[in-house]
């Protein structure tokens, strides 16, 4: 039996386990990336592990999230990240250079390599055939220290792309279509591998839009083959030597198969407040749009932004509609400048933002109260834009530009003939000199620690019986944005766990922090898909700091589950989901933590009488980590 691409990359990086779907496997990791919002913690953890030098082939520390420098906090973090990278042998990408995934795709991602990143959209690099996964910062720190990365062997889904996109349909509409089909839970435990004749019709940045939003499916990763299109892309990026061909064997088997006829797709939008709430743009025609925002790691490539420029040429966006454009990297910005396309944006009345995440995480560009925003981003969770009651629709750059020109969504049938897709030049300007490469010997580098860099919190062992009150009960689809809201004033505290913990669940239940402090710790009860969204480990670290000992839910998102394990919080599942209704906020639970065995149910006692069966999907190793009080304790980190 031949192998698919996922199996080939896993086989060549396997350090432990069997390649059988559902079994735990350990993988050798070639590359890592961190971004600043999760990176300061990851680097503090790396230091605690005590390895003198990064052991991966390549590790890059990007600064793209918290780039506004009002006050000392963000600049303190940036200087810490710059110096810690130099000391331990990582590449540093200064603030403003670009968004981590766009930069990684352009400059470092390689076909056939493994990559983990402390950002949930790390799978973007699957666009060049790199098996890339989002992970908690501590997992990334361990990979940088040369440790394997443990995952559950994924199922591999073949996504057969037939035909070619027509009219105004774009790569964004392919992944939106898939999200509508499969929902935000549809990819859990799976890698989506794209195949079929439609693959050759998509450029690498288009492929990367699709792999980027595979994260919204909850997928472990998404992969495209490495072919002639990849070869051309890598050559244009000035690194032809990084190309290797990568394709599935003709006899390769897959666990599931989905067929998409590209010719049948039309412009789509994910409606508020979930990336899988799909509607056609046609059905939204007439809805007034107050703001369009074009950019983010999903849609900020040269081709995306050139397509927008060509649509805006000689026109003016509606005065009542704001249009923001954030190029994904300085390379993209330079190319737009070289071709005089920035003039078009300026004349059309657009606002050009820095090459950063910006509005995607509520860093500027928030919509007006109850405003409708058409965004080319990947997430539209409630409040993420910085405006709690904003209505965010996720769309393609073309749809967002058209909405800005018309001040409303309109029927694509009225847009006229779609222009040809812009083609990337054969050779593009390099921005490699803007990265800070580490010295051969970093031992003499002094790591700068401003007052915003707080020492790491360390936690004690889990007791044999966890006796605690239910400090919070929440419903289905709680995201990491619900657990820890974004926004400038909160995220600038990410290197200071006691300070950031004060904001936990503030948009869900303002009393939570006060209550759990008064209760001296507790457990959280939740519904389906708890912890979906970003890789933000603060969403586990913060609760642990406030004394959360267990999270009892109907189901859990993959990265958040891993983060709970890493920080010693028991992730427990109701055996009978109906029991969720029987455990109220304020109830007292007793969980026999010392008796928990991998995959086996235990009986918890609620309010001294009611027995509730709780199970887990933990491995023996994960259980050990939790009982030792978290991964840093388990690996014997010294500091
Ligand atoms: Fe940044 Fe938004 Fe992507 S925060 S990494 S642009 S999902």
């Amino acid at each position: 039996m031949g192998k698919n691409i996922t199996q080939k990359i896993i086989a060549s990086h396997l350090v432990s386990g069997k390649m059988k779907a559902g079994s735990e496997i350990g993988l050798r990791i070639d590359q890592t990336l961190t971004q600043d919002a999760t990176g300061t913690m990851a680097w503090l953890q790396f230091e605690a592990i005590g390895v003198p030098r990064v052991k991966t082939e390549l590790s890059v520390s990007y600064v793209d999230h918290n780039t506004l420098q009002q006050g000392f906090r963000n600049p303190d973090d940036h200087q810490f990240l710059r110096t810690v990278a130099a000391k331990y042998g990582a590449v540093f990408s200064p603030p403003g250079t670009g968004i981590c995934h766009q930069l990684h795709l352009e400059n470092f991602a390689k076909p056939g390599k493994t990559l983990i990143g402390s950002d949930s959209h790390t799978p973007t690099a699957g666009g060049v055939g790199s098996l890339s996964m989002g992970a908690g910062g501590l997992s990334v720190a361990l990979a940088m220290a040369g440790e394997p990365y443990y995952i559950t062997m994924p199922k591999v889904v073949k996504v057969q792309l037939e035909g070619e996109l027509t009219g105004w349909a774009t790569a964004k509409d392919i992944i939106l279509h898939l999200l509508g089909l499969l929902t935000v839970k549809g990819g859990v435990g799976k890698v989506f591998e794209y195949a079929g004749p439609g693959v050759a019709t998509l450029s690498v940045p288009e492929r990367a839009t699709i792999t980027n939003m595979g994260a919204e499916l909850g997928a472990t990763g998404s992969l495209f083959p490495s072919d002639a299109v990849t070869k051309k892309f890598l050559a244009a990026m000035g690194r032809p030597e990084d190309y290797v061909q990568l394709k599935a064997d003709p006899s390769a088997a897959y666990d599931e198969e989905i067929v998409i006829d590209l010719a049948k797709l039309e412009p789509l939008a994910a409606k508020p407040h979930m990336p899988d709430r799909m509607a056609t743009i046609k059905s939204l025609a007439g809805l007034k749009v107050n703001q369009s925002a074009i950019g983010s790691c999903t849609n900020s490539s040269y081709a995306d932004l050139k397509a927008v420029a060509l649509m805006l040429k000689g026109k003016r966006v509606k005065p009542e509609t704001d249009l923001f454009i954030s190029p994904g990297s300085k390379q993209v910005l330079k190319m737009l400048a070289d071709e005089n396309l920035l003039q078009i944006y300026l004349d059309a009345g657009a606002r050009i933002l820095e090459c950063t995440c910006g509005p995607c995480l509520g860093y500027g560009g928030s919509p007006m109260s109850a405003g409708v925003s058409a965004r080319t981003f990947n997430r539209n969770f409630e409040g993420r834009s910085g405006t709690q009651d904003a209505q965010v629709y996720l769309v393609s750059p073309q749809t967002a530009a058209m909405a800005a020109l018309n001040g409303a969504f309109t029927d694509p049938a009225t847009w006229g003939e779609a222009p040809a897709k812009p083609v990337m030049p054969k050779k593009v300007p390099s921005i490699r000199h803007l990265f800070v490469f580490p010295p051969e010997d970093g031992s003499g580098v002094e790591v700068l620690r401003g007052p915003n860099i707080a020492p790491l919190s360390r936690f004690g062992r889990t007791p044999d019986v966890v006796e605690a009150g239910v400090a919070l009960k929440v419903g289905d689809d709680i995201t990491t944005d619900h657990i820890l809201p974004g926004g400038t004033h909160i995220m600038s505290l990410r290197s200071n766990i006691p300070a950031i913990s004060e904001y936990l669940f503030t948009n869900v239940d303002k009393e939570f922090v006060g209550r759990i402090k008064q209760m001296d710790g507790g457990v959280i009860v939740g519904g389906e898909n708890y912890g979906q969204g970003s890789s933000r480990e603060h969403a586990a670290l913060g609760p642990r700091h406030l004394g959360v000992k267990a999270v009892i839910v109907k189901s859990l998102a993959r990265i958040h589950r891993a983060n709970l394990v890493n920080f010693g919080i028991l992730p427990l599942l109701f055996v009978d989901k109906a029991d969720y209704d029987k455990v109220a906020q304020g109830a007292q639970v007793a969980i026999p933590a010392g008796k928990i065995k991998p995959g086996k149910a235990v009986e918890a006692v609620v309010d001294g009488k009611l027995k509730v069966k709780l199970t887990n999907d933990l491995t023996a190793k994960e259980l050990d980590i939790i009982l030792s009080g978290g991964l840093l304790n388990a690996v014997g980190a010294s500091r």
Side-chain angles (χ1 to χ4, degrees), residues 165 167-176 209 213 266-270 278-279 281 292-295 298-300 304-305 307-308 311 323 374-378 393-404 409 412 415:
L165 292 166
W168 289 93
T170 65
K172 181 66 161 276
D173 301 302
I174 301 176
I175 188 65
L176 289 178
T209 293
M213 274 192 92
E266 60 180 306
L268 297 170
M278 224 45 68
I281 295 299
S292 283
I294 299 173
T298 316
N299 275 124
S300 58
D304 281 338
L305 300 194
V308 168
M311 288 171 68
L323 172 61
R375 302 185 151 210
T376 67
F377 309 165
N378 46 37
Y393 291 76
L394 303 176
V395 298
S396 70
Q398 286 82 344
T399 299
M402 203 53 95
F409 287 126
W415 296 358

Side-chain angles (χ1 to χ4, degrees), residues 64-65 99-101 119 121 296-297 357 360-361 378 384:
D64 55 0
H65 277 57
I99 304 172
C100 56
H101 307 305
D119 188 280
H121 291 99
S296 89
C297 57
C357 301
C360 179
L361 76 157
N378 46 37
R384 181 177 169 93

Side-chain angles (χ1 to χ4, degrees), residues 47 79-81 83-85 87-88 444-449:
E47 284 188 302
Q79 292 314 313
F80 167 72
L81 290 170
T83 50
V84 87
K87 185 168 184 76
Y88 295 108
V445 175
E446 186 202 348
V447 177
L448 297 177
R449 289 169 217 276

Side-chain angles (χ1 to χ4, degrees), residues 490-506:
I490 301 177
M491 292 314 282
S492 64
L493 297 169
R494 67 203 167 274
S495 315
N496 188 336
I497 298 303
I500 207 168
S501 299
E502 296 293 319
Y503 292 91
L504 288 166
F505 290 103
T506 40

Side-chain angles (χ1 to χ4, degrees), residues 194-394:
Y194 291 83
V199 166
T201 69
L202 299 170
S203 68
V204 164
E206 287 178 297
R207 296 174 184 188
T209 293
I210 296 169
T211 52
N212 172 279
M213 274 192 92
E216 275 52 60
L217 290 166
T220 304
S222 299
L223 269 176
F224 271 85
S226 173
D227 56 9
V229 174
T230 322
K231 189 174 184 183
K232 225 163 94 186
F233 174 82
L234 291 171
M237 294 298 134
R239 46 191 191 103
E241 67 284 359
D242 288 347
Y243 173 72
V244 289
Q245 193 193 35
L246 208 57
K247 59 176 183 181
D249 294 331
S251 60
Y254 297 85
D255 296 288
E256 291 169 33
E257 185 169 341
I258 296 168
V259 181
I260 301 178
D261 182 353
L262 299 184
K264 290 208 174 118
L265 297 182
E266 60 180 306
L268 297 170
K271 294 188 290 182
H273 300 286
M274 222 22 94
D276 59 3
R277 296 198 60 216
M278 224 45 68
T280 61
I281 295 299
K282 188 175 174 191
S283 72
L284 297 172
L287 180 68
K288 206 165 151 27
V289 173
N290 307 100
Q291 177 196 73
S292 283
I294 299 173
S296 89
C297 57
T298 316
N299 275 124
S300 58
S301 68
Y302 161 79
D304 281 338
L305 300 194
K306 182 166 179 178
V308 168
L310 297 179
M311 288 171 68
L312 297 178
K313 195 167 182 186
K315 299 191 177 121
R316 167 81 172 89
V317 303
K318 279 272 182 289
E320 62 270 27
T321 307
D322 285 324
L323 172 61
F324 295 102
I325 297 174
S326 325
S329 71
K330 281 191 172 161
Q331 184 180 72
V332 171
L333 184 55
K334 262 177 87 167
M335 289 164 77
L336 298 171
D338 286 351
E339 292 185 32
N340 287 330
L341 298 173
L342 296 181
Q343 328 272 23
I344 298 177
Y345 296 150
L346 298 175
D347 284 335
R351 296 170 65 178
I352 304 170
L353 305 182
E354 212 180 2
C355 306
T356 59
C357 301
C360 179
L361 76 157
Y363 255 43
S366 297
M368 62 189 252
S369 291
V372 171
S373 180
R375 302 185 151 210
T376 67
F377 309 165
N378 46 37
R379 293 202 169 128
N380 58 349
F381 303 143
E382 200 173 1
R384 181 177 169 93
S385 64
T387 305
Q388 194 57 30
D389 58 359
Q391 305 292 309
V392 176
Y393 291 76
L394 303 176

Side-chain angles (χ1 to χ4, degrees), residues 36 129 135 201 487 548 574:
D36 52 307
T201 69
V548 172
F574 288 107

Side-chain angles (χ1 to χ4, degrees), residues 95-155:
T97 311
I99 304 172
C100 56
H101 307 305
Q102 178 72 20
L103 286 172
H104 207 81
L105 190 75
E106 290 168 350
N107 296 282
F108 301 112
K110 294 184 189 178
K113 296 287 180 183
T114 52
L115 160 73
I116 65 167
S118 60
D119 188 280
S120 52
H121 291 99
T122 303
T124 310
V128 292
S130 159
L131 181 61
S132 339
M133 294 160 282
L138 184 48
S139 301
V140 176
L142 282 160
M144 292 196 288
E147 295 293 322
Y149 178 54
Y150 295 95
I151 56 165
T152 305
M153 177 69 198
K155 287 186 173 172

